[in-house]
Amino acid sequence: MREQVEEILARIRPQLEEDGGGVELVDVDKEGVVTVKLTGACSGCVMRTLTLKGGIERILKEYVPGVKEVVAA
């Protein structure tokens, strides 16, 4: 599953980078919880929760079977 998550994050990353942000994969556990670190402009942005839950989590759940939740490190 980790490889699939990395692949999808690589597709998402350019959109975040356009706004000066980024995302790094920290961990994928056995229960399907993905831990990521928002970087750059994303780390302090007031919209980071929306980016995390409404963007990254939604996309990962759609494309990677077994992802249950995405949380910030």
Side-chain angles (χ1 to χ4, degrees):
M1 182 184 331
R2 185 179 183 92
E3 293 81 21
Q4 291 175 303
V5 170
E6 282 281 18
E7 181 182 320
I8 299 302
L9 289 179
R11 293 183 192 175
I12 295 170
R13 208 168 272 121
Q15 294 170 332
L16 297 174
E17 289 171 349
E18 284 180 10
D19 292 324
V23 63
E24 297 173 3
L25 179 61
V26 175
D27 189 38
V28 179
D29 72 14
K30 296 176 200 170
E31 289 79 36
V33 177
V34 176
T35 305
V36 298
K37 179 180 179 183
L38 294 174
T39 61
C42 288
S43 66
C45 178
V46 296
M47 300 296 287
R48 67 183 169 269
T49 301
L50 181 60
T51 299
L52 184 70
K53 294 296 185 175
I56 297 170
E57 181 177 87
R58 180 185 56 78
I59 293 167
L60 285 175
K61 283 180 169 180
E62 182 177 342
Y63 290 101
V64 183
V67 170
K68 302 291 183 223
E69 183 180 18
V70 177
V71 297

